């Protein structure tokens, strides 16, 4: 008699997750990587670094908000200072002056904030286009999106920023 397959309780949606991961991998191979390769081909290195710095600087706003929501006030002050330095002296964040003066980059997000507040992670789940995470992680993604200033610019500029960020963030293989 065949033994029943054991399922991992941390992955109750394993069948769904495997199918969606396969879809995401295919999309990555056939759409995202060619876009990223095209972006890298047309973008000079110094400009690519400036784009990466710009989006990192924009992210410091949500990092600062999450610092404060997690009661990390000293770190929040440092991250706010980092944003101000890079936005002013670093020409809208194109140059990471804050790192040059030893103002460290922190990575805080709303998923971590929800965890600090005691919200449980929930089961592992993979969603189309968004990839693997947890229900709390996806809630955190929504919170971070709401806190990001680029969410509130006009549709044309917002779409252009999203496309630029997408091209800048997809790893090349």
């Amino acid at each position: 008699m065949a033994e029943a397959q054991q399922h991992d309780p941390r992955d109750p949606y394993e069948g769904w997750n495997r199918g969606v991961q396969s879809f995401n991998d295919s999309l990555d191979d056939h759409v995202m990587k060619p876009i990223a390769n095209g972006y890298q081909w047309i973008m000079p290195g110094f400009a690519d670094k400036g784009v990466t710095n710009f989006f990192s600087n924009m992210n410091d706003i949500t990092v600062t908000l999450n610092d404060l929501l997690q009661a990390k006030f000293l770190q929040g002050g440092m991250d706010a200072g980092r944003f101000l330095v890079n936005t002013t002296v670093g020409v809208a964040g194109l140059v990471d002056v804050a790192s040059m003066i030893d103002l460290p980059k922190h990575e805080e997000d709303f998923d971590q904030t929800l965890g600090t507040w005691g919200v449980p992670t929930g089961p592992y789940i993979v969603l189309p286009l968004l990839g693997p995470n947890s229900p709390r992680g996806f809630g955190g993604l929504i919170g971070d999106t709401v806190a990001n200033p680029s969410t509130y610019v006009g549709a044309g500029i917002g779409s252009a920023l999203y496309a630029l960020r997408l091209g800048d963030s997809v790893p090349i293989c």
Side-chain angles (χ1 to χ4, degrees):
M1 187 169 185
E3 203 173 297
Q5 183 179 0
Q6 296 275 328
H7 290 285
D8 186 339
R10 296 169 298 171
D11 190 7
Y13 310 116
E14 183 176 1
W16 163 269
N17 289 339
R18 288 183 183 276
V20 173
Q21 185 64 46
S22 177
F23 167 80
N24 286 346
D25 288 345
S26 181
L27 184 69
D28 188 48
D29 289 341
H30 297 96
V31 177
M32 301 311 297
K33 286 181 183 172
I35 289 171
N37 286 329
Y39 171 86
Q40 290 297 318
W41 184 75
I42 64 168
M43 186 66 77
F46 74 92
D48 181 38
K49 183 65 175 162
V51 168
T52 300
N53 288 343
F54 173 80
F55 287 117
S56 177
N57 187 54
M58 292 296 291
N59 188 53
D60 283 338
I61 295 170
T62 59
V63 169
T64 301
L65 291 172
N66 283 298
D67 285 334
L68 299 176
L69 290 170
Q70 294 172 36
K72 296 179 179 178
F73 301 117
L74 179 60
Q75 183 172 305
M78 291 169 52
D79 289 329
R82 181 179 174 77
F83 173 76
L84 290 172
V85 165
N86 283 341
T87 300
T88 56
V89 182
V91 191
L94 296 173
V95 179
D96 186 4
V97 176
S99 290
M100 295 176 197
I101 61 171
D102 293 325
L103 206 52
K105 172 88 175 147
H106 299 107
E107 299 295 335
E108 303 293 339
D109 59 39
F110 198 58
D111 179 15
Q112 294 168 314
T113 299
L114 292 172
T116 299
W117 295 347
V119 176
T121 305
Y124 178 79
I125 187 166
V126 182
L127 292 180
L129 306 175
L130 298 176
N133 215 319
S134 67
R136 184 182 81 196
F138 287 118
L141 181 61
I142 292 167
D144 289 334
T145 300
V146 167
N148 189 316
S150 66
T151 304
Y152 301 101
V153 297
I157 294 171
S159 297
L161 285 173
Y162 180 77
L164 187 60
R165 185 174 198 155
L166 194 61
D168 184 58
S169 65
V170 175
I172 300 175
C173 295

